[in-house]
Amino acid sequence: MTDVAASDFRHPRRYVRLDTILRLRWLAVLGQLVAIFVVVQGLEFELPILPCVAVVSLSALLNLVLQIAFDPMQRLEAVYAAALLALNIAELAGLLFLTGGLQNPFSFLFLAPVLISATALPMRLTVALGVLAVACATLLGFFHLPLPWDSDDPLVLPPIYLFGVWLSIVLAIGVTSLYSFQVTEEARKLSDALAATELVLAREQHLTQLDGLAAAAAHELGTPLSTIFLISRELEKTVAGDNPLAADLKTLREQAQRCRDILAKIAQLSATGAPFDRMPLSTLIEETVAPHRDFGIAIKVRIAVAAASEPVGQRNPAILYGVGNILENAVDFARATVEVNAWWNKETVEIVISDDGPGIAPDVLKRIGEPYLSRRRGADDAQSEHGGLGLGVFIARTLLERTGAKVSFSNRTFPDHGAVVQIVWPRARFESAETVGESPA
């Protein structure tokens, strides 16, 4: 019931593909050419056409070189992707220098490369691109050619307005990039955590399939063992008692018969299905408690006998892992005792696991069940941050909720101390024979 190892599912960040950046750059080239055409032909403003077209042409030429020389489907290393995004910022700064600097409303396009970096690249590279964009915007506030405008009525913007434009660009880069990075990182963490959940569930399902494999083995091996037994018995009849081979043939027959008996028992157990397929609530609790009894923590199990018959559910790996993982956490934090209480009626089945440890910190209680949130017993017997992934509670909660359970976390009421985890199923869902891990309706 331990956390999944990092190497099992934590993969390196999948960086952006070259094709994605090239598509964005071609879109930028097209948009820049259209903007130049509209300003010159539609608005009839004077514009340094040749320098602007030269900057756009250099960008297009670089796109062609990259598209021909490299596989567009390859994922770029973070540094190379950041370099291309930095080049986009530099090209935009060059065009803005020729067309009015911060007076040009297209100056807010500095946001685009930084936002792309925030969703696909590490934070340090995103910060570097943000600093580059702010530096370019700052220089454009002081050094730029005049804004294309009507020569008879030139547009003169006050310095305070230009400062406001500069400040809005800086704030927009910072706020939107941080927001995009945070949202993307949360989505990435959730994706990795769900992958870990599926991995755990697959492992638990493999364990529950052992009885089926045993039955198949018993069926497949039965025929050849019967053949070996019959042939060894016939050979034993034809060999004299004083022949050295007689003892070997007898041993071969006896061992073949022993194998047949063992396979017959396995087939009989699997045919009954009771030890493998379904289990009462008390058996489920004992199976999850047993591995944790030898850690110096007393585990007290109380099962309230109700008027209704004891619920018998499927041997569900999701329930076994979920309850076992929560129990393991209780043992980790408990000072001396962990209590496991269970009761039922005709409508519900409930398990409550509590410990006498320090309880769940208020800040953690609000976020309990999120992936990558972990608190473990430290060397000084106090709560300390654990260096692992902290996926145990997330996986347990996800698997239990897939079986129809509602999982809630709380602390004991003062002056008592310790954490309390309540798991409640509708009795019909607990006793149903649905497929393991099926999402609740």
Side-chain angles (χ1 to χ4, degrees), residues 322 326-327 329-330 339 341 350-355 360 368 393 400 406-411 418-424:
I326 291 175
L327 180 63
N329 284 331
E339 296 182 2
N341 298 304
E350 183 172 347
I351 298 176
V352 176
I353 300 173
S354 57
D355 60 71
I360 305 174
I368 196 74
V393 175
L400 289 172
K406 292 183 178 180
V407 185
S408 59
F409 300 84
S410 61
N411 287 320
V420 179
V421 182
Q422 183 181 38
I423 310 169
V424 182

Side-chain angles (χ1 to χ4, degrees), residues 14-85:
R14 295 182 176 181
Y15 298 122
V16 65
R17 291 185 306 177
L18 176 61
D19 180 67
T20 302
I21 292 184
L22 288 178
R23 287 174 182 271
L24 294 175
R25 287 178 57 83
W26 280 120
L27 182 62
V29 167
L30 178 61
Q32 291 161 0
L33 291 175
V34 170
I36 293 172
F37 177 81
V38 170
V39 170
V40 174
Q41 299 296 326
L43 303 178
E44 298 183 351
F45 290 159
E46 292 185 2
L47 190 73
I49 299 178
L50 291 180
C52 290
V53 172
V55 173
V56 176
S57 299
L58 288 175
S59 179
L61 180 61
L62 178 61
N63 289 353
L64 286 175
V65 171
L66 292 174
Q67 200 154 12
I68 295 173
F70 301 97
D71 180 9
M73 293 296 106
Q74 71 174 342
R75 294 192 180 274
L76 296 174
E77 293 293 333
V79 175
Y80 299 133
L84 288 177
L85 294 174

Side-chain angles (χ1 to χ4, degrees), residues 135-275:
C136 291
T138 303
L139 291 175
L140 289 173
F142 298 98
F143 307 101
H144 59 82
L145 297 181
L147 178 71
W149 203 257
D150 187 357
S151 58
D152 296 332
D153 185 19
L155 177 65
V156 179
L157 297 176
I160 189 65
Y161 179 83
L162 294 178
F163 175 76
V165 172
W166 175 85
L167 184 61
S168 63
I169 291 175
V170 172
L171 292 178
I173 289 176
V175 173
T176 57
S177 299
L178 181 61
Y179 178 80
S180 299
F181 179 83
Q182 186 66 26
V183 171
T184 304
E185 190 66 16
E186 289 294 329
R188 186 178 295 112
K189 286 181 178 180
L190 183 60
S191 176
D192 287 342
L194 290 175
T197 303
E198 297 297 335
L199 176 62
V200 168
L201 184 57
R203 289 177 175 176
E204 296 297 318
Q205 285 176 320
H206 290 164
L207 294 177
T208 61
Q209 292 168 354
L210 288 178
D211 62 315
L213 294 176
H219 176 74
E220 295 295 330
L221 294 175
T223 300
L225 280 174
S226 297
T227 303
I228 294 173
F229 174 79
L230 291 174
I231 293 176
S232 61
R233 186 175 61 179
E234 294 301 321
L235 289 175
E236 188 179 3
K237 293 179 180 179
T238 61
V239 175
D242 56 350
N243 193 311
L245 294 177
D248 293 337
L249 290 172
K250 181 180 179 182
T251 301
L252 178 62
R253 175 180 56 80
E254 291 175 349
Q255 295 302 315
Q257 181 60 42
R258 182 182 177 186
C259 290
R260 293 178 63 192
D261 294 340
I262 293 173
L263 291 179
K265 291 180 181 179
I266 294 176
Q268 182 180 4
L269 285 175
S270 183
T272 60

